[in-house]
Amino acid sequence: MILKNKSLQAVQSPQAYAGQKQEQDVAFFLRRAFKDHPQVLVINDFKFSFNDETAQIDHLIVYTYGFILIESKSIKGQVKVNQQGEWTRSHQGNWFGMASPIKQVELQQALLLQLLSHYRSEILGKLLGFKQQGFRLREWDHLCAVSSDAIINRDTMPKQISEKLVKTEFLVDKLNEIMNLKGKFTRLVNFTDTRPDFSQDELNSVADFLISHDIDKYHSQTQCEASEPLVSTHKAIEQDEIVIDSESLQQAAKPQPVMQLQEPHPPYQAPQNNVAPQLKLLCKHCGESADYQPMYGKYGYYIHCNQCTKNTPMKQDCPQCQSKHTRVQKRQETYTLNCQECSFSQRVI
């Protein structure tokens, strides 16, 4: 199941175009393989913050047994990795050093594990009612998906790096090998597979938590309908050994016309006095407005009232346009309600 698609951006440099194309190609293969798979949840272009650190994961897979992080890398030419794990790539007959994408995704994985572990009691339930479940013993894997036309020199490459480096068209095969998914009945009777697994409710809870922590507030919810990966034509721009169509690049950089959709009702008109309506977060059971604790659970953020010990969702209708299409997002200790209809945004805690 695809929870978030790759967000397209207007790019101008050949390097940026090639990088975005590679991420789109990877997203295409993931969509074709897992868009209808309930046990495999895909989040493309996931950016999050925790403990004053920020990370961006090109493609994140959450599945029954754990997590797989994928770093997309556009490489045309040869790539080598020596026994010290140092990467080099070729360009017009010359060799240049490059940062290790494996090290990069390892740092992203470490921060993601810290985030999930910090909120484990709010995301996962307790095993047999008393033992708190966690994330450290889940399966954690990471891969680097490189362009299909890259030449990979595996003869001198360390085995542990070669196993994590895969061309785009072979990515799904590698993922299926890593995940080794089984049906529910097979999991119950197979005693040789000792991997701890998420229930479907826990899997959905993890996904809801991650989406709520995505920094991109207004990412597109519509799945890309492209039927094939982007293919570059062979015209006369070549830089860093990336061949692209110069006319397409110039066209992509221009502002594109916006399709006008007929509104089912007139758009909301803001009050002339420009005074933003104020949000009031109260316990819906006893009306308490101060003595509560913000928490996160299966259905999102909520407050736990210390007076009546009951819970109230933070999510509410937009006070400006009354839309129900709102989201609560957390930044450190601040909780904000954001409306996806009129862009209203206001702190609730």
Side-chain angles (χ1 to χ4, degrees), residues 2-229:
I2 310 301
L3 300 183
K4 181 190 175 187
N5 286 286
K6 165 63 183 171
S7 302
L8 296 179
Q9 300 177 359
V11 296
Q12 298 185 15
S13 72
Q15 296 94 330
Y17 179 90
Q20 180 164 263
K21 174 187 177 299
Q22 170 63 8
E23 290 186 28
Q24 284 183 274
D25 287 353
V26 171
F28 164 81
F29 283 103
L30 295 177
R31 183 174 67 253
R32 277 293 179 91
F34 304 120
K35 66 178 180 181
D36 297 319
H37 203 309
Q39 297 181 57
V40 182
L41 309 180
V42 180
I43 305 175
N44 295 294
D45 199 14
F46 176 55
K47 188 175 182 181
F48 67 100
S49 294
F50 179 70
N51 197 23
D52 297 326
E53 300 289 341
T54 300
Q56 188 268 333
I57 301 172
D58 291 339
H59 315 276
L60 173 61
I61 292 180
V62 186
Y63 69 108
T64 303
Y65 299 106
F67 306 84
I68 305 175
L69 289 73
I70 304 171
E71 176 72 14
S72 293
K73 217 66 179 176
S74 174
I75 299 177
K76 184 176 178 66
Q78 297 188 61
V79 58
K80 295 181 180 180
V81 184
N82 63 21
Q83 293 300 316
Q84 286 71 41
E86 299 166 338
W87 290 57
T88 54
R89 62 183 296 183
S90 66
H91 173 58
Q92 297 180 348
N94 298 315
W95 287 89
F96 300 88
M98 61 175 288
S100 168
I102 299 297
K103 286 297 181 184
Q104 180 180 347
V105 75
E106 286 176 353
L107 292 174
Q108 298 164 354
Q109 177 179 304
L111 189 63
L112 179 61
L113 176 57
Q114 291 177 31
L115 172 68
L116 293 172
S117 297
H118 183 78
Y119 291 101
R120 64 186 183 278
S121 63
E122 301 175 18
I123 305 172
L124 300 177
K126 293 184 177 181
L127 186 63
L128 302 178
F130 64 90
K131 182 176 177 58
Q132 176 60 54
Q133 298 188 75
F135 292 96
R136 295 188 180 278
L137 298 181
R138 309 291 174 167
E139 296 293 308
W140 287 90
D141 294 279
H142 51 268
L143 299 171
C144 177
V146 298
S147 311
S148 296
D149 52 0
I151 301 174
I152 304 174
N153 190 332
R154 299 186 185 272
D155 294 338
T156 59
M157 185 178 297
K159 181 179 179 181
Q160 65 271 25
I161 293 180
S162 180
E163 292 175 347
K164 298 181 182 298
L165 187 60
V166 59
K167 287 192 175 184
T168 305
E169 69 265 34
F170 300 111
L171 176 61
V172 171
D173 294 335
K174 184 68 173 180
L175 290 172
N176 285 328
E177 176 187 337
I178 292 174
M179 292 188 291
N180 190 22
L181 293 173
K182 300 176 175 65
K184 185 176 181 180
F185 176 76
T186 305
R187 296 205 308 269
L188 290 175
V189 300
N190 186 1
F191 299 104
T192 61
D193 191 345
T194 59
R195 296 177 294 174
D197 59 347
F198 294 121
S199 68
Q200 193 62 48
D201 286 343
E202 290 171 340
L203 197 62
N204 295 336
S205 180
V206 173
D208 290 343
F209 173 83
L210 292 173
I211 289 296
S212 72
H213 279 72
D214 187 3
I215 290 178
D216 294 334
K217 291 184 181 179
Y218 304 112
H219 65 263
S220 173
Q221 299 292 335
T222 304
Q223 294 191 9
C224 178
E225 298 298 333
S227 59
E228 298 295 337

Side-chain angles (χ1 to χ4, degrees), residues 296-318:
Y296 182 86
K298 178 179 177 180
Y299 300 105
Y301 292 106
Y302 64 93
I303 56 173
H304 178 75
C305 181
N306 294 327
Q307 295 294 323
C308 68
T309 70
K310 295 183 178 180
N311 301 328
T312 301
M314 289 191 197
K315 186 180 184 302
Q316 53 188 285
D317 294 352
C318 174

